[in-house]
Amino acid sequence: MLVWLARRLAQVVPTLILLSVMIFGLQQLMPGDPALILAGEERGDPQVLAQIRAELWLDRPLHVQYLHWVGNVVTGDFGFSWRIREPVARLILQKLPVTFQLASMAFLIAVLIGVPMGILSATHRDRPADWLANGIALFGISMPNFWLGIMMILLFSVQLGWLPPSGYVPLTEDFWQSVSTTIMPAFVLGSGIAGVLMRHTRAAMLTALSQDYVRTARAKGLTERVVVWKHALRNALIPVVTLGTIEFGRLLAGAVLTEQIFTIPGFGKLIVDAVFNRDYPVVQGVVLATALIFVGLSLVADLLYMAINPRLRQA
Amino acid sequence: MSASDDRSAGGRADLNRPRQPMSAVIESPAVAPAAESPGRRALRRFLRHRLAVFGAVVVLVFAAVALLAPLVATADPNATSWSAIRRAPSLQYWFGTDENGRDVFSRVVWGARASMMAGTISVVVALLAGVPIGLLAGLVGGWVDALISRVADAMLSVPFLILAIALAAFLGPALENAMIAIAISASPVFVRLARGMALDARATDWVEAARALGNPPWRIGLLHVLPNIVPPLLVQATLAIAEAIIAEASLSFLGLGQQPPEPSWGSMLNSAQRFLTQAPWLAVFPGLAIFLVVLAFNLVGDGLRDALDPRSDKR
């Protein structure tokens, strides 16, 4: 187990190194000189430009710039926002809890819809319930979540006036207010993942239901309920749990547009605002943070997979 | 087990791949339940088929609209009219008019051109880049494979949309740049798919024979492996187009794709958001167009997967 863990961690290292090269390289795609953007109205002054270049190490060779950047990142210094002169790392840490709340609620909604639907679909294979569940899943996967968000605002805020169309109240301030500001975006965000989880659950359940131990359980005379819920589901959930962990990382990406539509001041809004303001260090920082979270989650997924599947532990 | 699993499992293909052939064997009894009557089976196959056919028809309609936009549109999509601002849908303006008095129907029609073009071209580019690289990794092996696989890993650890946003942000806002960004973000999936298939094919007798005859790797890849991996690539490409269309709409929504006043579904939705109470139709039609075309591509992809998978029931 420890050997496996060490090997798995060693595998992550080259990925991280390549990732850092990629994210650093983003800057090189940029047309024009960053110093010119930063200088603003003083762009005519060569002394200012030289000073900015020196400050950002832009006057050094590329590989030195890279090593300097990586060195900072490793120590938690993601650079400074060009726009608001604040450390990028602090900005990210400020916004992360908001998105985390949104993503957790979305994930909960997705699991509550997707998993039961997948079970129902597998146990009622090729019957109307299966078609319906597949239809709903396809609907969730094909629906662009920013449009769903706009349509929900139209219905629940503009027409019915039940929920606020935008804004965010932190959980710590007022629980119910917080839930009412996040329930719509969470549903929007969760609906696509619900479809994906439904498909995973259905496929895993169908595989489990055709296994020998299920046939044995049925032959023993166990009721169908016990067979489905106790024998098949337990095994079917193994891939679902691990894939679900990965999907959680995907929610971060989905949050970008959802937060934009519902004006929720989270992680996604941070990157969008940074893109609009040409605040490149923040864009880089957010990409890096998402990638780190994603790499971490796949590690957790693998660990979970080992933990719930004893057969893998020996291998 | 299915391409949608591959797509969503993204970072975990290595872990899942060895299990696939096994589960396929086990699954086959479940695929052919003895209790199913011929009539019901026919109905099911008909239904499944009909949906894919429906999807294909919708895709063709959108493709035709995109190609024949000048003929289909009832007005100049960019012609403003101060005497017809925010008119509700009517016989004269089928989808109403927007805040500048432009005909929304004509703008949706021209928007199809941007979306369909962005979706297909970016996926074709991703295929042309990703498949040869993946084949190379799978057939050559060694450090070439290790390097390519780690780069793909690194790219896949940034969620698709965030990578596309970051690339588009650094490249600058334009439809061409959005397409490049989407193509780059979509390519690692094809690298991984092609690599996996090449590894599988390498173990087969016919490739072994081809190698024994002294064929160089590029010839084996081109003549012996590629034809056998076309079906899964086709399925994956169809589903990727659906994702690419959503990505283009998302980038345009954020102002990183098609630039105004040129029409695109994403940017139309963005400006519609400001007039939700006064002119809800502005938000309905572009979103409906995105949803329909994405749904259609997903239906075709699912249908192709069923039709092309030798393991699925063909009776």
Side-chain angles (χ1 to χ4, degrees), chain A residues 19 126 142 147 199 276 302, chain B residues 12 44 154 170 254 283 298 302:
Chain A
L19 202 59
D126 295 331
S142 304
W147 187 52
R199 287 185 166 190
F276 281 135
D302 279 2
Chain B
R12 310 176 39 76
R44 189 195 75 220
F170 280 94
L254 296 175
N298 278 331
D302 286 350

Side-chain angles (χ1 to χ4, degrees), chain A residues 234-256:
Chain A
R234 274 201 184 179
N235 287 282
L237 281 184
I238 293 173
V240 175
V241 165
T242 54
L243 289 168
T245 318
I246 304 285
E247 291 301 327
F248 190 82
R250 228 160 271 267
L251 284 174
L252 290 176
V256 174

Side-chain angles (χ1 to χ4, degrees), chain A residues 11 14-15 18-19 22 26-27 29-31 125-127 131 138-139 141-144 146-147 150-151 153-154 158 196 199-200 203 206-207 210-211 239 242-243 246-247 249-250 252-253 256-257 260-261 271-272 275-276 280 283-284 286-287 290-291 294-295 298 301-302 305, chain B residues 1 4-5 7-10 12 15-16 19 23 26-27 30-31 36 40 43-44 47-48 147 150-151 153-159 161-163 165-167 169-171 246 249-250 253-256 266 269 273 276-277 280 283-284 287-288 290-291 294-295 298-299 302 305:
Chain A
Q11 232 180 8
T15 307
L18 285 165
L19 202 59
M22 255 168 49
L26 277 178
Q27 217 176 29
L29 291 176
M30 199 168 72
R125 194 188 162 117
D126 295 331
R127 278 185 277 164
W131 302 333
L138 191 65
F139 191 84
I141 291 169
S142 304
M143 180 66 97
F146 52 105
W147 187 52
I150 294 176
M151 290 295 106
I153 292 177
L154 198 57
V158 177
V196 177
R199 287 185 166 190
H200 286 324
L206 284 178
T207 309
S210 63
Q211 304 275 8
T242 54
L243 289 168
I246 304 285
E247 291 301 327
R250 228 160 271 267
L252 290 176
V256 174
L257 285 152
Q260 185 66 17
I261 283 163
I271 188 173
V272 172
V275 165
F276 281 135
Y280 294 110
V283 177
Q284 276 177 319
V286 172
V287 175
T290 339
F294 201 78
V295 169
S298 12
D302 279 2
Y305 204 81
Chain B
M1 255 159 293
S4 89
D5 289 354
R7 182 175 53 155
S8 47
R12 310 176 39 76
L15 204 106
N16 285 330
R19 296 188 300 128
S23 62
I26 295 165
E27 204 185 30
V31 168
E36 196 180 29
R40 175 158 278 184
L43 180 70
R44 189 195 75 220
L47 266 181
R48 184 190 288 169
L147 180 69
R150 289 290 89 77
V151 171
D153 277 353
M155 288 174 77
L156 282 169
S157 62
V158 184
L161 192 59
I162 290 193
L163 184 59
I165 288 175
L167 283 168
F170 280 94
L171 287 167
I246 291 195
S250 307
F253 182 84
L254 296 175
L256 292 170
L269 278 179
Q273 238 198 317
L276 270 189
T277 35
V284 171
L288 199 61
I290 304 174
F291 171 64
V294 169
L295 179 74
N298 278 331
L299 283 174
D302 286 350
R305 179 167 57 220

Side-chain angles (χ1 to χ4, degrees), chain A residues 30-48:
Chain A
M30 199 168 72
D33 184 349
L36 277 178
I37 301 173
L38 263 178
E41 281 164 18
E42 294 167 89
R43 65 177 56 197
D45 188 345
Q47 216 175 344
V48 175

